[in-house]
């Protein structure tokens, strides 16, 4: 039997092309998937003819309303149920598909998902996680901005959910978890992180490491770093800025002389190695952690390769039954 | 007349060598400085013979007590007055020297400076600033960890002090200032940053830009980014981690084949360009902003070149009368 996924074809900077091409690409790797694609049928039916595999393994369901990237979540909530995004989300709620994937407006997607798919009882706002390249492979960082202010209990929930998410996607048996802080000693930080520390160190089902600092996100030693959405968002974007600065500066240096340009040609495979290690497309696709169903956010700027990666994340989480695991683990800390 | 600086010769990973060699190096650039050097006289008198310029332009004052890098600030406060660090700080308070420079224990240095040198009335804990390499040159980021929890008024003080600090060290006439947040819209973030936004937008003496995000630290458009010590510390260390990851990965790639090694030789000047742009020694030396005297923190791992840079920061701030400027500007927001 095929696994059914619902796609918001109209969300993201490269929609609908990246969505359709990404789905077609994914089918070449895994033909046991069927897509229910929501969006403007007149446009999609024409485009889909170009994709042999997708044409045979999909159904287009019409919606003529699109949630734009700058629409406020409150407006999306009032009017968004019949948008391509809203209909794709509802498709999971009524049981037609196992997961929804959208590259559209994050705030609107989160708000609609929360109302339509519901979150677990103890979860206020679902957390957004992301894998970050690190010296030892990848580190999971959460929350990335959904929960600006957090209680110690929120951080404990992030630890529980992040641990389960990391285990299923990275095949790490018992992921180590750290709380982001300004120092590693127990006395450091504010009351929220210190109380979360005290709660986590008594829990048997979490492999708790203790406090970690900002550089530990990329330098190890933990698998999962939990923090509130403010610091998580600041850290993520600060790191993206440095990666961009590094590439730009190196490019300037490489273009500064003829000798350097020759050097670049010789070193090309080394640069490709770095580029591949940091390629955001391979890290694309994050589950809203805390919802009772699987909703995956693809980055708004993702191309077809990035979108295909988000589909692969969805399938892995379905196959590994992450929802059962999350519900069980959250009950233990509720 | 020579400008007198007091040095804690015993603080930092490379003390006392980096301190003495750095001071000697700085004298070659600027002979109009005299150093009062605090530390173990038996050791320092022997070492100082190796430095021709320094020998002639310094005086060693004995202290046989050293504040170690892991000493708690509270213990340093009780017992640290007669340490090399404590005596160097007091030397400024009694008017023997114009500024103190130490590469020792940051917490102890901050605590002792606050007690001995006093902070301006409205300042609770002095803020620690740092210049970060950016696409347009440098961005000043503060606070980097002294003030874990901040009020909107604290952030306004950081904006005022950061603006003045940036003006004097970067020769920017009217530096633009942004508040670090998770988005650029006025509605984003927590109550503290939103209230600081409202306060700053009404101030005529601050060139207020609005909210900025983490990547703006290295990507522009502002000269100064203000944030609480928690987020500032997280952002700084997260950025350091990525810079390290980038260098390591590129090195691995360059060593992966013979062809790449040849490429490296051709590209060497390009790498040197990047290394120079990001060389932390050129950014070393940060004033504790909010004290009534000039106390400069050199990074604990700074070598002599880094330490000489911290001395240059001290001299620039003295010559440009930063204290008068800070006092005047802080009075306006008190």
């Amino acid at each position: 039997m095929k696994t059914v996924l619902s796609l918001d074809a109209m969300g993201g900077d490269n929609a609908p092309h990246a969505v359709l091409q990404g789905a077609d690409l994914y089918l070449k790797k895994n033909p046991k998937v069927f897509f229910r694609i929501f969006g403007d049928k007149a446009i999609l039916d024409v485009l889909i003819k170009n994709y042999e595999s997708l044409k045979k393994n999909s159904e287009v369901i019409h919606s003529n309303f699109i949630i734009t990237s700058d629409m406020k979540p409150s407006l999306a909530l009032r009017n968004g149920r019949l948008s391509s995004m809203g209909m794709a989300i509802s498709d999971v709620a009524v049981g037609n598909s196992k997961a929804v994937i959208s590259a559209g407006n994050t705030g609107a997607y989160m708000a609609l998902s929360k109302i339509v798919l519901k979150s677990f009882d103890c979860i206020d706002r679902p957390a957004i996680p992301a894998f970050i390249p690190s010296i030892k492979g990848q580190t999971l960082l959460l929350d990335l901005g959904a929960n600006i202010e957090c209680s110690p209990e929120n951080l404990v929930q992030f630890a529980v959910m992040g641990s389960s998410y990391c285990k299923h996607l990275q095949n790490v048996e018992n992921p180590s978890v750290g709380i982001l802080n300004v120092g590693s000693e127990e006395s450091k930080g504010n009351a929220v992180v210190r109380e979360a520390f005290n709660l986590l160190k008594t829990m048997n089902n979490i492999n708790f490491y203790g406090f970690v600092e900002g550089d530990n996100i990329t330098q190890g030693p933990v698998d999962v770093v939990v923090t509130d959405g403010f610091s998580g968002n600041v850290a993520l974007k600060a790191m993206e800025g440095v990666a961009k600065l590094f590439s730009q500066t190196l490019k300037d240096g490489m273009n500064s002389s003829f000798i350097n340009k020759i050097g670049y040609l010789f070193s090309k495979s080394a640069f490709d190695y770095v580029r591949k290690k940091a390629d955001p497309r391979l890290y694309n696709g994050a589950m809203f952690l805390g919802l009772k169903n699987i909703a995956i956010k693809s980055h708004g700027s993702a191309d077809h390769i990035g979108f295909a990666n988000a589909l692969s994340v969805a399938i892995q989480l379905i196959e590994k039954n992450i929802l059962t695991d999350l519900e069980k683990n959250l009950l233990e800390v509720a």
Side-chain angles (χ1 to χ4, degrees), chain A:
Chain A
M1 218 179 87
K2 296 201 172 185
T3 307
V4 183
L5 300 179
S6 76
L7 308 183
D8 166 17
M10 313 309 278
D13 307 343
N14 306 312
H17 296 86
V19 174
L20 301 180
Q21 199 183 342
D24 190 62
L25 179 67
Y26 184 72
L27 278 167
K28 291 187 173 69
K29 202 174 79 177
N30 180 359
K32 298 182 75 175
V33 178
F34 186 88
F35 294 105
R36 288 172 53 85
I37 305 177
F38 295 82
D40 191 317
K41 197 165 161 56
I43 296 172
L44 296 174
D45 279 344
V46 174
L47 290 175
I48 230 164
K49 285 185 188 144
N50 301 319
Y51 303 104
E52 203 55 43
S53 309
L54 186 61
K55 205 169 59 183
K56 287 188 222 146
N57 294 287
S58 68
E59 180 184 351
V60 172
I61 300 108
H62 181 67
S63 158
N64 58 8
F65 177 46
I66 297 174
I67 290 183
T68 55
S69 62
D70 55 357
M71 189 183 286
K72 293 247 180 253
S74 51
L75 193 66
L77 269 186
R78 274 202 299 280
N79 303 320
R81 295 291 189 106
L82 293 178
S83 65
S84 58
M85 182 191 278
M87 287 174 68
I89 296 169
S90 299
D91 208 51
V92 178
V94 298
N96 287 337
S97 42
K98 290 282 188 199
V100 49
I101 299 95
S102 174
N105 180 327
T106 309
Y109 188 26
M110 167 74 82
L112 279 166
S113 297
K114 202 175 165 266
I115 296 291
V116 176
L117 303 177
K118 310 273 187 271
S119 43
F120 292 114
D121 287 345
C122 59
I123 300 294
D124 181 30
R125 282 177 73 87
I128 303 177
F131 284 103
I132 313 285
S134 87
I135 200 164
K136 62 173 184 44
Q138 302 187 10
T139 305
L140 186 73
L141 177 66
L142 76 164
D143 173 37
L144 295 182
N147 303 270
I148 297 304
E149 279 162 296
C150 285
S151 65
E153 291 72 23
N154 288 148
L155 295 183
V156 170
Q157 291 155 4
F158 298 168
V160 168
M161 297 192 295
S163 182
S164 171
Y165 189 74
C166 183
K167 183 175 80 184
H168 290 116
L169 287 179
Q170 293 282 308
N171 295 316
V172 185
E173 194 36 58
N174 196 12
S176 55
V177 180
I179 300 174
L180 192 60
N181 198 356
V182 299
S184 55
E185 305 87 353
E186 281 195 41
S187 60
K188 292 276 182 174
N190 55 38
V192 172
V193 295
R194 284 199 298 265
E195 177 59 17
F197 184 105
N198 289 331
L199 292 170
L200 278 170
K201 77 177 176 189
T202 63
M203 286 172 59
N204 295 323
N205 54 345
I206 292 288
N207 179 7
F208 183 52
Y209 176 86
F211 288 138
V212 293
E213 298 185 64
D215 52 340
N216 294 125
I217 300 169
T218 49
Q219 298 292 316
V222 295
D223 299 303
V224 180
V225 172
V226 300
T227 187
D228 63 84
F230 193 96
S231 300
N233 186 285
V234 161
L236 178 74
K237 288 187 180 149
M239 292 191 291
E240 287 174 351
V242 172
K244 222 188 279 177
L245 179 68
F246 219 113
S247 320
Q248 287 157 333
T249 311
L250 198 55
K251 209 170 143 193
D252 292 350
M254 285 295 175
N255 283 324
S256 66
S257 78
F258 181 64
I259 293 287
N260 286 337
K261 280 183 190 162
I262 293 177
Y264 176 75
L265 293 178
F266 275 101
S267 321
K268 209 179 157 306
S269 73
F271 289 111
D272 291 346
Y273 174 80
V274 177
R275 213 167 279 135
K276 203 177 155 191
K277 170 102 184 163
D279 187 348
R281 300 181 301 185
L282 308 181
Y283 299 88
N284 189 46
M287 180 177 168
F288 287 156
L289 282 172
L291 291 178
K292 288 183 175 173
N293 285 287
I294 299 175
I296 304 286
K297 175 71 175 82
S298 166
H299 202 287
S301 65
D303 66 2
H304 60 290
I305 295 173
F307 197 83
N309 199 75
L311 297 175
S312 156
V313 168
I315 292 293
Q316 286 179 71
L317 295 174
I318 293 166
E319 287 177 351
K320 297 193 173 170
N321 266 315
I322 187 148
L323 292 171
T324 315
D325 204 32
L326 285 177
E327 185 167 23
K328 178 176 135 289
N329 294 335
L330 283 172
L331 265 179
E332 285 176 26
V333 296

